Amino acid sequence: MDEVKKTFDQIAGRYDSERRKLIPGFDEFYRVVVEMVPFDPQGSWRFLDLGAGTGLLTQFLRARFSEAEYALMDFSPEMLAQARARFAGQAGVQFLEADYATADWPGTFDGVFSSLSIHHLSDEVKQTLYRKVLGHLKPGGVFLNAEFVRAESSELQARYWQLWIESMKAAGLSEPEVGHALERTSIDILTPVEVQLEWLKEAGFAEVGCHYRRYLFAVFGGRRP
């Protein structure tokens, strides 16, 4: 994980601008997370953003759930510095510099969210994390993960990979920028959605499902009964 932390410390300043070009269907990808939160937008909820980075996902959530309290956890100080700047002067936002896979979490939450982070964990740690998430959700709480995943076959993986490369070029990334994006995937441990949905069920989640999928990008999750 030291290599992951180093990578994100280095790219923190350009992270947001790159995301829109790196993720096909960027707005829908994040919007689906917000749409799948089954709570009153005016409620005083407590949300946790795992691997929050620059606070991009939290910004999407705050646009709808403005009265909620947010805890943003990330082990990269440079990424959290960007998040602090994004929410400077705003109440109800807490920043936690820690490795969410190993650190203690502050209490329980109505919603636990993550975007493009959990795929850096080994499959064993992913499964442990999903059980940890369930344990920190209040009854009826929701977990949603906007994630980079692996296809279900090598043939489909190759096709999705090529379509992803084409989408990055169409979005305006140069050949070197696309190359750098692909190089960063060397630290990724991608897992098919279907496998992760089974892990969520085994952990004890209900209402488990995949709510969005485009190539290698998916939004999935479940609720604590």
Side-chain angles (χ1 to χ4, degrees):
M1 293 299 288
D2 288 344
E3 184 64 26
V4 177
K5 181 178 181 296
K6 178 181 177 181
T7 296
F8 282 96
D9 281 343
Q10 291 173 342
I11 67 172
R14 63 179 190 275
Y15 184 85
D16 284 3
S17 61
E18 283 191 351
R19 289 304 91 179
R20 186 169 290 278
K21 296 178 180 179
L22 288 172
I23 303 171
F26 172 91
D27 289 301
E28 188 174 18
F29 181 65
Y30 284 97
R31 187 174 65 245
V32 168
V33 177
V34 179
E35 291 174 343
M36 290 306 301
V37 181
F39 301 147
D40 177 1
Q42 302 306 313
S44 299
W45 311 107
R46 190 164 188 249
F47 292 158
L48 173 64
D49 187 347
L50 299 175
T54 66
L56 189 57
L57 177 56
T58 288
Q59 181 175 348
F60 274 85
L61 288 163
R62 277 177 65 84
R64 179 169 174 80
F65 300 97
S66 58
E67 301 302 313
E69 294 183 358
Y70 294 84
L72 284 69
M73 185 177 290
D74 200 288
F75 65 2
S76 166
E78 297 300 326
M79 295 290 272
L80 278 184
Q82 298 291 321
R84 293 177 192 276
R86 182 192 296 276
F87 300 112
Q90 298 184 33
V93 184
Q94 178 185 11
F95 304 95
L96 305 169
E97 185 180 328
D99 180 349
Y100 61 77
T102 58
D104 292 331
W105 299 357
T108 58
F109 301 86
D110 300 288
V112 175
F113 307 92
S114 188
S115 62
L116 301 175
S117 178
I118 294 174
H119 66 272
H120 296 122
L121 306 177
S122 70
D123 283 354
E124 181 180 0
V125 177
K126 287 186 183 80
Q127 294 175 74
T128 300
L129 178 70
Y130 291 158
R131 294 192 292 269
K132 185 175 182 178
V133 169
L134 187 77
H136 282 271
L137 279 174
K138 299 176 183 179
V142 64
F143 168 60
L144 290 163
N145 186 16
E147 190 58 296
F148 190 37
V149 299
R150 177 171 292 281
E152 291 65 42
S153 69
S154 57
E155 294 81 9
L156 198 54
Q157 176 73 10
R159 180 60 179 152
Y160 283 164
W161 197 263
Q162 184 58 39
L163 288 169
W164 178 41
I165 292 173
E166 292 173 5
S167 75
M168 287 190 286
K169 291 179 178 178
L173 287 181
S174 66
E175 288 282 355
E177 288 172 329
V178 170
H180 291 152
L182 298 178
E183 286 174 10
R184 289 200 298 271
T185 65
S186 64
I187 61 176
D188 298 339
I189 305 172
L190 305 185
T191 310
V193 172
E194 287 77 3
V195 173
Q196 299 194 65
L197 294 181
E198 287 303 314
W199 290 344
L200 290 176
K201 293 175 185 177
E202 291 169 3
F205 283 92
E207 299 178 36
V208 171
C210 180
H211 313 303
Y212 173 86
R213 177 73 179 268
R214 185 168 180 184
Y215 311 149
L216 301 172
F217 297 85
V219 176
F220 59 92
R223 295 186 76 176
R224 176 171 179 170

